[in-house]
Amino acid sequence: MLLNKRLLLVLDQQDQACNALQRCRLIAGRLQSQVTLIWLGDSIEKAEAAVKQLESDGISVALHIAARDKLLKLLAKFLERESFGLLIKSCDPRSKGFMTTVDGQILRELPCPVLMVKRDLLWQDGVVMAAVNSLANDSYQRRLNDDVLKVAAQIALATGSTLTAAVACPSAMMGADPVMQSEELIQQKAHQALDAQLSRLQLQPQDVAVGEGPAEYWIPEAGAKQAARLVVIGTRARGGLKGALIGNTAERILPRLDCDILVLRIGLSDQVVPVLQQ
């Protein structure tokens, strides 16, 4: 995990912007991390140029050349053999229709935290937004919410950024619970639950956005309004048939966000936060 400060960087030869490379240089330089670079393409010269950029910052790099269609299997092998604190990759803007993209499969299947890079804007002095589900009743989701908030808060502190939070509420519906029949009452309940969670964690975000709608629409909308440079979100990483049929919130949000997105698994904040505090 992030405690071992090992980073896994995926660079695609077709990516002209190389935003993931620059983001990795900043993170690895701050954490003094070792980097394993997986280069997708056949240009050894370009791959070696990327390695030199990292090494010029004093970063230790191990280079591996791979074919694009072998990426998922290769990543799985690396993660079986070694522990990596973070996987960094530029978000692929290409759509595959109803098919799950490689980025979506990475978010769904791989066990480590994943940073999908979309922009070249520095996080420094920007806005870091934590996206949580404050109305969740199960202990798993509540713990995942804690992880997201704590990691987002520490990243905001480390980069001199503003911490904000966003919650997507379900639409009002007829049922036994009168609260869930009113949009205003639903949002009020979400606010109260989030306030209680923030108080327990001793966190004070500058802004909280609570709105109605599926998370894949509301979270990107809130991120745009808050001008977020990074959105931190958790995933339950559904696999198998359930994952294939309904996907995961993180992978549905990914193509709609216009900023970087950090996707966490449950239980990582205890390892991530101490590293970021250094």
Side-chain angles (χ1 to χ4, degrees), residues 30 124 128 151-163 276-277:
R30 176 181 176 82
Q124 194 75 30
V128 175
V151 170
Q154 198 56 52
I155 292 174
L157 181 63
T159 59
S161 299
T162 298
L163 174 66
L276 293 173
Q277 289 176 333

Side-chain angles (χ1 to χ4, degrees), residues 25 81 233:
R25 290 179 68 182
R81 294 199 306 259
I233 191 170

Side-chain angles (χ1 to χ4, degrees), residues 192-208:
Q192 291 171 345
L194 181 58
D195 287 344
Q197 184 178 26
L198 291 169
S199 176
R200 176 170 51 80
L201 297 175
Q202 298 183 321
L203 297 176
Q204 294 181 323
Q206 180 170 301
D207 191 20
V208 172

Side-chain angles (χ1 to χ4, degrees), residues 57-77:
D57 294 334
I59 299 168
S60 174
V61 186
L63 173 64
H64 299 268
I65 308 294
R68 291 179 186 84
D69 60 352
K70 304 295 183 182
L71 176 60
L72 279 172
K73 289 184 178 180
L74 182 61
L75 289 173
K77 287 182 180 179

Side-chain angles (χ1 to χ4, degrees), residues 70-270:
K70 304 295 183 182
L71 176 60
L72 279 172
K73 289 184 178 180
L74 182 61
L75 289 173
K77 287 182 180 179
F78 271 108
L79 291 166
E80 283 177 3
R81 294 199 306 259
E82 301 179 60
S83 245
F84 288 92
L86 182 64
L87 167 62
I88 304 173
K89 182 183 181 297
S90 288
C91 186
D92 190 342
R94 293 169 292 185
S95 173
K96 299 189 71 174
F98 291 107
M99 300 294 290
T100 302
T101 64
V102 172
D103 288 351
Q105 289 177 289
I106 287 173
L107 297 184
R108 185 187 302 176
E109 298 176 16
L110 299 184
C112 69
V114 178
L115 173 62
M116 288 290 178
V117 183
K118 285 198 166 188
R119 303 290 297 277
D120 61 354
L121 291 174
L122 296 177
W123 300 348
Q124 194 75 30
D125 301 322
V127 173
V128 175
M129 189 178 85
V132 295
N133 177 8
S134 63
L135 289 175
N137 293 318
D138 63 289
S139 58
Y140 185 102
Q141 184 63 52
R142 289 197 297 269
R143 187 182 174 196
L144 189 56
N145 288 341
D146 283 358
D147 285 348
V148 168
L149 286 165
K150 288 190 286 187
V151 170
Q154 198 56 52
I155 292 174
L157 181 63
T159 59
S161 299
T162 298
L163 174 66
T164 67
V167 178
C169 296
S171 300
M173 62 184 71
M174 297 303 296
D177 186 351
V179 172
M180 302 308 288
Q181 298 177 33
S182 163
E183 179 182 332
E184 182 179 349
L185 291 177
I186 292 172
Q187 294 189 21
Q188 181 180 343
K189 184 178 180 181
H191 260 296
Q192 291 171 345
L194 181 58
D195 287 344
Q197 184 178 26
L198 291 169
S199 176
R200 176 170 51 80
L201 297 175
Q202 298 183 321
L203 297 176
Q204 294 181 323
Q206 180 170 301
D207 191 20
V208 172
V210 176
E212 178 192 354
E216 58 263 37
Y217 294 104
W218 170 246
I219 298 303
E221 181 181 337
K225 287 181 178 179
Q226 297 182 3
R229 296 186 185 178
L230 172 69
V231 170
V232 183
I233 191 170
T235 181
R236 302 184 74 131
R238 294 186 183 94
L241 181 59
K242 191 172 185 180
L245 290 175
I246 67 174
N248 296 285
T249 302
E251 67 183 86
R252 295 198 301 271
I253 287 175
L254 180 61
R256 296 182 173 93
L257 269 176
D258 192 31
C259 65
D260 297 351
I261 178 171
L262 174 61
V263 182
L264 302 176
R265 302 297 192 272
I266 193 170
L268 289 172
S269 64
D270 291 341

